[in-house]
Amino acid sequence: MRSIVCTRPGLMEHDDRETPVCGAGEALLRIRRIGICGTDIHAFGGNQPYFAYPRVLGHELAGEVVQVGDSHNQALVGQNASVIPYLHCGECRACQRGLTNCCQRIKVIGVHRDGGMCDMLVVPVDHLMLSPTLSLDQLALMECLAIGAHAVRRSALAQGEWAVVVGAGPIGIGVAQFARECGARVVVVDTNEQRLAFCRETLHVDHTLNPLQHDTLAQLETLSDGALADAVFDATGNPEAMQQGFDLVGQAGRYVLVSIVKADITFHDPDFHRKEMTLLSSRNATREDFTWVSTLMEAGRLQDTAMITHREELDAVPERMSAWCDPATGVIKAMIHLDH
């Protein structure tokens, strides 16, 4: 079968591999859609933690079940599914508490083990998300949106609170939508005017701010009558922006770092204590998050496929990957198609 391997930072190559065989508790998935996300871009750029080369990327996946390893799962054959790519051990303390997203021995498809940039992939049956109504594009976007759903659930965001989302890429777009579902007043901050326009015109967020044009802190103070944000979500992947985000958090507010970078993030302790701020990280997502995404998708409450700006076939990935990493190309979400 075909596969695309990131052999080292900056280089993607074609590779022919044996079609995998599924065993008990597993399903063989014919990959039909692959979303390109920040994790893939950082891996391609050599900036992704928890990563080793060579690696087949791809964890935003949708496909068709073509074979199962157990007779009692035969009804799955022929169905389209999304993949929960976080393979957890089920035994560690985090797993026992239901926090499978941060399993002590987690293996993420496309990060710790080879992913879905290939024709066929074996996945555990209990990591499939099935929907008879969602399109392949929507199924492939489910994981991306689940990241935002998990971050918002971590924040315990409440009706009427001010939520500031810094970074209007696919993850930030998801965070903004789930924050709105909680009834928050949403402010999106980004330096890319095209992405801010998308947030205003497609997501209908309450406010957008561009730090290159205005003082973000001053603007937020004006909007919130000096209270600043009840919750700030960083989705930039930029260490400088992540540090500046502390200033946007109001009294007793929460700061959720959705981004992950190879850097040290510091803060001024007196300000941190004066505000009695809560600092949270947000990693991956749980099945509960995927279910929330699926429910809202099926109800038509999310602007999901609107974020897809670029499409390409699998064979073109090595040539196109560099362009997808460049914001100047106008990419928000690139989607890979596999026609069999």
Side-chain angles (χ1 to χ4, degrees):
M1 68 173 187
R2 297 175 300 168
S3 64
I4 304 295
V5 184
C6 186
T7 53
R8 59 176 172 78
L11 182 62
M12 306 280 279
E13 295 184 307
H14 295 271
D15 190 22
D16 290 324
R17 297 190 173 189
E18 293 292 327
T19 300
V21 177
C22 61
E26 296 179 329
L28 180 63
L29 202 66
R30 176 180 287 116
I31 302 298
R32 299 291 303 280
R33 297 287 188 277
I34 309 161
I36 298 295
C37 81
T39 298
D40 302 316
I41 290 171
H42 291 154
F44 182 72
N47 302 311
Q48 174 61 32
Y50 322 129
F51 197 83
Y53 303 87
R55 178 68 69 223
V56 176
L57 303 180
H59 62 273
E60 295 183 2
L61 306 173
E64 176 190 356
V65 178
V66 295
Q67 187 179 9
V68 292
D70 303 281
S71 59
H72 63 274
N73 286 320
Q74 287 299 317
L76 297 176
V77 175
Q79 296 194 50
N80 290 334
S82 178
V83 176
I84 301 176
Y86 323 118
L87 306 182
H88 59 280
C89 71
E91 299 175 353
C92 70
R93 183 164 177 78
C95 286
Q96 291 299 310
R97 296 168 60 197
L99 306 175
T100 55
N101 61 299
C102 53
C103 166
Q104 188 174 345
R105 292 177 283 275
I106 197 166
K107 299 293 183 184
V108 180
I109 294 172
V111 178
H112 304 102
R113 55 170 277 185
D114 285 344
M117 285 193 187
C118 56
D119 287 317
M120 299 282 189
L121 184 70
V122 167
V123 297
V125 167
D126 60 6
H127 280 62
L128 297 177
M129 288 290 297
L130 304 171
S131 172
T133 61
L134 297 181
S135 69
L136 288 168
D137 283 347
Q138 289 176 304
L139 289 169
L141 291 170
M142 195 175 286
E143 191 273 345
C144 169
L145 290 168
I147 297 292
H150 185 73
V152 171
R153 285 207 308 119
R154 287 274 286 156
S155 74
L157 200 60
Q159 177 85 26
E161 288 192 309
W162 284 97
V164 174
V165 182
V166 186
I171 299 299
I173 286 170
V175 171
Q177 295 190 74
F178 286 100
R180 186 180 57 196
E181 284 293 320
C182 292
R185 291 173 286 185
V186 180
V187 182
V188 176
V189 180
D190 202 289
T191 58
N192 187 314
E193 273 300 319
Q194 179 184 1
R195 292 189 174 189
L196 291 179
F198 177 87
C199 291
R200 289 191 300 270
E201 298 164 10
T202 303
L203 304 186
H204 306 295
V205 300
D206 300 299
H207 305 279
T208 60
L209 300 176
N210 187 334
L212 299 180
Q213 299 179 2
H214 304 284
D215 184 325
T216 302
L217 181 60
Q219 292 278 21
L220 183 58
E221 286 178 330
T222 300
L223 289 172
S224 64
D225 294 326
L228 299 177
D230 298 294
V232 175
F233 301 86
D234 179 88
T236 65
N238 181 293
E240 183 179 353
M242 293 168 79
Q243 293 203 176
Q244 291 174 349
F246 284 90
D247 296 335
L248 305 180
V249 182
Q251 300 297 121
R254 293 90 73 199
Y255 188 19
V256 185
L257 297 179
V258 193
S259 297
I260 180 171
V261 294
K262 282 186 175 180
D264 294 329
I265 307 300
T266 63
F267 57 85
H268 185 57
D269 188 61
D271 286 343
F272 185 80
H273 272 80
R274 176 177 57 81
K275 295 180 178 180
E276 198 180 43
M277 190 188 306
T278 299
L279 178 62
L280 296 162
S281 63
S282 182
R283 186 184 184 195
N284 302 328
T286 65
R287 178 171 282 273
E288 185 176 356
D289 301 310
F290 276 80
T291 299
W292 191 18
V293 173
S294 179
T295 299
L296 292 179
M297 275 184 164
E298 290 174 348
R301 295 187 61 85
L302 299 180
Q303 294 294 330
D304 38 48
T305 57
M307 76 171 78
I308 301 174
T309 54
H310 293 64
R311 295 181 183 272
E312 197 55 84
E313 293 293 329
L314 179 67
D315 289 338
V317 171
E319 178 184 353
R320 300 301 301 158
M321 192 69 180
S322 293
W324 293 336
C325 296
D326 183 3
T329 62
V331 64
I332 296 178
K333 171 64 68 176
M335 184 67 69
I336 301 170
H337 289 233
L338 282 79
D339 294 324
H340 298 277

